[in-house]
Amino acid sequence: MTRAQQRERTRAVLLDVSRDLFATRGYAAVGLAEIVREAGVTKGALYHHFEGGKSELFRAVLAQVQADVAHTVATTADTGTDAWAQLTAGCRAFLTASTDPAVRRIMLIDGPAVLGWSEWRAMDEAGSARHLADALTALIEAGVIAAQPVQPLVRLLSGAMNEAALWLAETGDPGDLDAVLAALLRMLEALRA
């Protein structure tokens, strides 16, 4: 194995181990000593890859989780037959993905708490909020949704879906997902021109 391959393997192991620990126990309950022990590396190796230590490692894990959710949303949305079906499929996929306890813990609970609201929001906007803005813009341009400023609409829908995802994770009742999706679809239908 080359040095570059070894470095990449070490980084991947640190991310995998940290993701599992952060998902099951939360950021605050996990220490660096535990991470390096579980990963089978030294603290020096961790700091080589993540100079900022635990917070930088968490940021990388959060980016990974957000990318996974964004990929799921985009892949699901692409199955829609038109822009409206793509929007609703993407929203449904986001809420469904967010019911995963690991996604909820890392992306919706610890993310804003660890990084701060502004940094978490910037990361969210770089991914899912951008896709939502693109979808809404296309629907407005097609006349499906009444002409209006896109950014306030993105914030409202994103906030509603994040809150719904948190609530779904708390209730633990699988039937609640159907109720949330029905309510979301009614909200979206109200936007139609």
Side-chain angles (χ1 to χ4, degrees), residues 77-102:
D78 286 344
T79 65
T81 56
D82 59 34
W84 184 258
Q86 290 172 343
L87 172 69
T88 57
C91 291
R92 181 184 315 268
F94 172 79
L95 285 170
T96 302
S98 297
T99 61
D100 179 319

Side-chain angles (χ1 to χ4, degrees), residues 80-150:
T81 56
D82 59 34
W84 184 258
Q86 290 172 343
L87 172 69
T88 57
C91 291
R92 181 184 315 268
F94 172 79
L95 285 170
T96 302
S98 297
T99 61
D100 179 319
V103 170
R104 174 187 160 261
R105 166 62 100 180
I106 292 169
M107 191 170 79
L108 298 172
I109 295 174
D110 284 348
V114 172
L115 301 181
W117 181 254
S118 295
E119 186 175 349
W120 178 83
R121 197 69 198 127
M123 289 178 74
D124 184 56
E125 286 200 21
S128 61
R130 182 177 48 84
H131 294 299
L132 183 57
D134 292 345
L136 292 170
T137 299
L139 288 165
I140 289 169
E141 289 172 355
V144 176
I145 293 177
Q148 59 189 289
V150 172

Side-chain angles (χ1 to χ4, degrees), residues 41-57:
V41 302
T42 65
K43 279 190 180 180
L46 184 142
Y47 282 109
H48 173 76
H49 291 282
F50 303 97
E51 291 177 11
K54 185 176 152 185
S55 64
E56 186 177 330
L57 179 57

Side-chain angles (χ1 to χ4, degrees), residues 21-22 25-37 43 54:
L21 290 170
F22 293 149
R25 303 218 338 266
Y27 178 84
V30 176
L32 280 182
E34 182 178 10
I35 292 170
V36 297
R37 183 179 63 249
K43 279 190 180 180
K54 185 176 152 185

